[in-house]
Structure formats: structure tokens, C-alpha cells
Amino acid sequence: MEKKMINPTKIYKLSRVLNSTSEFEKLRLRIETIKQEIRLEESEFTNPSSTMGHNLSNAQLRQLEHSIVQKKTLSLGKYLKMLAVEKKLPPVNDDTFGIATINKSYWSKLINDTLPTFEKNKLIRISFFLKLSLKQVITLLNKAGFTLSEENSRDYVIIFFLENKLYDIVDLEEILLSMDMRSLFTNSR
């Protein structure tokens, strides 16, 4: 099987972006805005009954408060289940995730919240497979105790791909390896 050649134009464009202060600053501000939106969503409506001038009944207010508490406490597994339904993920088997190399057993443990620890690389691969938005990826990683940092070159490349809706894991992997960054599939460089 012939190895696909790395597109030098992609590498050149990305290296220019990585070295461009203005592009870096734009992306940094975008990430900060998304993180603020997530924090706001998690704290929003903490006391909806104090809102004046609404026409909600007490039962509706209790239902709203219950929904808000559930949203704030959505586990990583429940969040992933919600995203999988939203993205119309077919029934999962060992071939479902293809190149992302996530097996049925891992997926099952992940969505049922039975994994003792999470792996950032696997969550990123799942994110690319599901074609999640940058905001959804940040939320998912936050629930697992991780983040994407524009200060980290590898994370910056991942952010760049997500922000530009470039979901090809092979292209991402080629760029990471060509820039001597850690692979999404191993912990080695």
C-alpha cells in the first residue's frame, strides 16, 4: 500500500499561521470567548425564580430549575451520548469509528461513565469523528479534566483544524508528525 504524500502547501500554510502573531491572537481570543460562553451557560439561570415580569408558573419554574441542574451536572458519558444522538451516530461496533480506532468496549465504558480515567487523544479522535464544533470539544474535554490551550503548539494545530472544520484525522496526523509533534495515536513523538 502506497503512503499518501504530505501536502507541502498545508504544512506551509499552517506553519505561517503558527508563526503569525495576529492569527495566534485571533485564535486565542476565540478560545477565551468559547470558554467564557461555556462558563456562562453553566451558571446561567441559577435562580430563574428571581426573574421579574415572567409568566411562568411555579411548576414551570421548578421544571426549568431541574433542567438547569441536570444540564450543569451532565456527566462526560451523558454528554457524549447526547452528542452521538445529535450527530446521528449509527449503532456502534468495532468498525464504527474507522480511522479513529475507538473500539466498542471503550465507547461503551465511556458513555456509561465506567472508565476510571480518560485519554485526551481518544476524546480528540472521537471529536473529529463526530465532527464536533470547537465549543463542543472544549466542553467535552473540560468534563474529562482536560483543555485545549492555544499556548501549546500541538493543541493550537488541533484548534486550528476544529475552528476551520477540517475533520480529516489523517490530515491532522500528517501535520502533527511533519511538525514533530506527538501523534494522536501514541504518546511518542
Side-chain angles (χ1 to χ4, degrees), residues 92-153:
V92 175
N93 62 42
D94 281 343
D95 298 323
T96 301
F97 289 96
I99 192 82
T101 64
I102 303 298
N103 64 39
K104 183 178 179 177
S105 172
Y106 184 83
W107 176 256
S108 178
K109 290 176 184 175
L110 188 60
I111 63 171
N112 290 309
D113 294 312
T114 59
L115 281 176
T117 60
F118 305 106
E119 296 178 45
K120 183 177 179 180
N121 284 342
K122 286 186 178 183
L123 294 175
I124 291 170
R125 293 193 319 253
I126 290 169
S127 298
F128 272 78
F129 177 80
L130 292 175
K131 297 182 179 177
L132 300 181
S133 69
L134 179 57
K135 184 176 179 180
Q136 290 169 323
V137 174
I138 290 171
T139 300
L140 177 67
L141 291 175
N142 283 345
K143 289 182 179 295
F146 300 113
T147 190
L148 286 175
S149 170
E150 66 281 352
E151 302 295 326
N152 177 297
S153 296

Side-chain angles (χ1 to χ4, degrees), residues 36-180:
Q36 286 175 354
E37 287 173 8
I38 291 168
R39 283 191 296 272
L40 181 62
E41 286 173 4
E42 289 176 351
S43 65
E44 197 171 57
F45 303 118
T46 53
N47 189 5
S49 59
S50 67
T51 305
M52 300 182 75
H54 62 73
N55 294 321
L56 298 177
S57 70
N58 284 337
Q60 288 172 321
L61 283 173
R62 280 192 303 278
Q63 184 181 6
L64 177 60
E65 288 171 344
H66 177 72
S67 295
I68 291 167
V69 168
Q70 280 188 318
K71 181 181 180 194
K72 285 175 69 172
T73 60
L74 205 58
S75 69
L76 183 136
K78 288 178 182 168
Y79 184 66
L80 258 179
K81 280 183 195 176
M82 181 188 77
L83 292 172
V85 168
E86 181 182 306
K87 300 293 182 171
K88 297 178 172 79
L89 182 68
V92 175
N93 62 42
D94 281 343
D95 298 323
T96 301
F97 289 96
I99 192 82
T101 64
I102 303 298
N103 64 39
K104 183 178 179 177
S105 172
Y106 184 83
W107 176 256
S108 178
K109 290 176 184 175
L110 188 60
I111 63 171
N112 290 309
D113 294 312
T114 59
L115 281 176
T117 60
F118 305 106
E119 296 178 45
K120 183 177 179 180
N121 284 342
K122 286 186 178 183
L123 294 175
I124 291 170
R125 293 193 319 253
I126 290 169
S127 298
F128 272 78
F129 177 80
L130 292 175
K131 297 182 179 177
L132 300 181
S133 69
L134 179 57
K135 184 176 179 180
Q136 290 169 323
V137 174
I138 290 171
T139 300
L140 177 67
L141 291 175
N142 283 345
K143 289 182 179 295
F146 300 113
T147 190
L148 286 175
S149 170
E150 66 281 352
E151 302 295 326
N152 177 297
S153 296
R154 181 176 180 265
D155 282 358
Y156 186 89
V157 171
I158 293 165
I159 292 165
F160 178 87
F161 268 69
L162 292 167
E163 187 69 6
N164 289 284
K165 296 176 177 42
L166 303 170
Y167 296 109
D168 188 322
I169 295 174
V170 173
D171 284 349
L172 174 59
E173 186 69 6
E174 285 181 6
I175 295 294
L176 290 173
L177 295 176
S178 71
M179 298 179 119
D180 197 30

Side-chain angles (χ1 to χ4, degrees), residues 4-16:
K4 182 178 159 188
M5 295 299 293
I6 297 171
N7 183 339
T9 306
K10 285 183 193 173
I11 296 170
Y12 176 74
K13 284 180 182 177
L14 187 56
S15 65
R16 289 203 46 182

